[in-house]
Amino acid sequence: SRCDLLLVVGSSLFVQPFASLPARAKDGGARLAIVNLSSTPYDADMDLIVRGAAGEVLPRMVTHLDADLASA
């Protein structure tokens, strides 16, 4: 199946099977983004890293995306 963007939220990416998803998505051409408080083994592969608590960061991201979509 196809994935354009994999957004990882609040994961250390140490626990399988989820930990293998970033590599699989990247191999398939997807872009990778993470919202997390701390670093992960996959940070070097990420296209976007946002350090922060998911409960604080995600509402701000959604507000920004809504504004962008409304003006498109």
Side-chain angles (χ1 to χ4, degrees):
S1 60
R2 185 160 184 243
C3 175
D4 294 321
L5 171 70
L6 176 66
L7 175 60
V8 178
V9 178
S11 175
S12 64
L13 294 174
F14 283 105
V15 178
Q16 292 294 345
F18 186 76
S20 65
L21 288 180
R24 291 179 62 195
K26 189 79 165 183
D27 288 346
R31 300 198 63 180
L32 305 177
I34 187 166
V35 176
N36 204 38
L37 288 171
S38 58
S39 62
T40 75
Y42 289 95
D43 281 1
D45 297 323
M46 294 292 165
D47 295 293
L48 175 66
I49 298 172
V50 179
R51 293 283 179 243
E56 296 172 9
V57 172
L58 290 179
R60 291 172 46 201
M61 289 175 70
V62 168
T63 299
H64 183 73
L65 290 171
D66 281 345
D68 285 349
L69 292 173
S71 66

